[in-house]
Amino acid sequence: MDYRINQLPPHVMIPKRTLEHKVAQQDKSFEKILKDTQQSLTISKHAEARLSERNIKITDMKWQQIAEQVSLAKGKGVTDSLVLTDEAALVVSAKNQTVITAMDRKEATERIFTNINGTILID
C-alpha cells in the first residue's frame, strides 16, 4: 500500500457551486457591457448641426427610448430607419447606430423620406 500524499489539482478542491457562481457573475457583467454598447447612439456632425440650428431638444430619457427601439429594429433586419417623435423626425442608421440627420416634426410633414426600410414611432 502506498502511503504517499498526492497533491490534487486546484480545480478539484474548489466546490462546484463556487465555480458556477463565478462564471455566472462574469457572464452578467459581459451581458451588461454588451447591452450598454449596443444601445448607445452616435450623433453625426450633420445631425448635431441640424439639431442645434433647428433648436430641437430631446431629453436623455427619449434618447434612451430611441436607442432601444433602433436596437430592436436592427434585430429585425432594418438598416436605415425613420424615427418619429413628438419633437423631431430623425433618420437613423440602425446598422451602425448613428443619427444621420434631424428635422423638426412640423418640417418633416413637407418632406419625402427615401432610402429607409423601417419606421419607428415614439410617443
Side-chain angles (χ1 to χ4, degrees):
M1 183 179 233
D2 189 14
Y3 292 104
R4 286 182 280 172
I5 297 174
N6 293 324
Q7 189 173 8
L8 294 173
H11 69 277
V12 173
M13 298 174 71
I14 299 172
K16 189 175 182 179
R17 284 191 331 240
T18 306
L19 284 175
E20 290 173 359
H21 181 68
K22 286 183 181 180
V23 170
Q25 283 181 339
Q26 290 173 350
D27 288 345
K28 286 181 185 177
S29 62
F30 177 72
E31 286 177 21
K32 184 180 182 301
I33 292 168
L34 184 62
K35 187 175 181 180
D36 290 345
T37 303
Q38 290 177 341
Q39 290 189 353
S40 62
L41 285 177
T42 304
I43 301 173
S44 69
K45 288 183 181 181
H46 175 79
E48 196 171 309
R50 296 297 172 262
L51 288 167
S52 177
E53 72 187 32
R54 293 172 176 152
N55 200 25
I56 300 169
K57 305 281 189 241
I58 300 176
T59 65
D60 289 340
M61 183 181 281
K62 187 72 77 169
W63 279 118
Q64 184 64 31
Q65 281 181 313
I66 293 168
E68 288 171 7
Q69 293 300 316
V70 167
S71 228
L72 288 172
K74 182 179 179 181
K76 293 183 178 191
V78 173
T79 55
D80 296 302
S81 63
L82 172 65
V83 178
L84 295 173
T85 68
D86 294 338
E87 303 88 10
L90 310 168
V91 176
V92 180
S93 169
K95 185 169 44 175
N96 54 12
Q97 302 286 99
T98 304
V99 179
I100 298 168
T101 192
M103 63 187 68
D104 187 78
R105 183 66 189 259
K106 292 176 187 173
E107 183 183 1
T109 59
E110 303 166 0
R111 302 279 183 205
I112 296 174
F113 296 92
T114 60
N115 296 330
I116 60 169
N117 63 350
T119 302
I120 300 170
L121 301 173
I122 297 180
D123 292 331

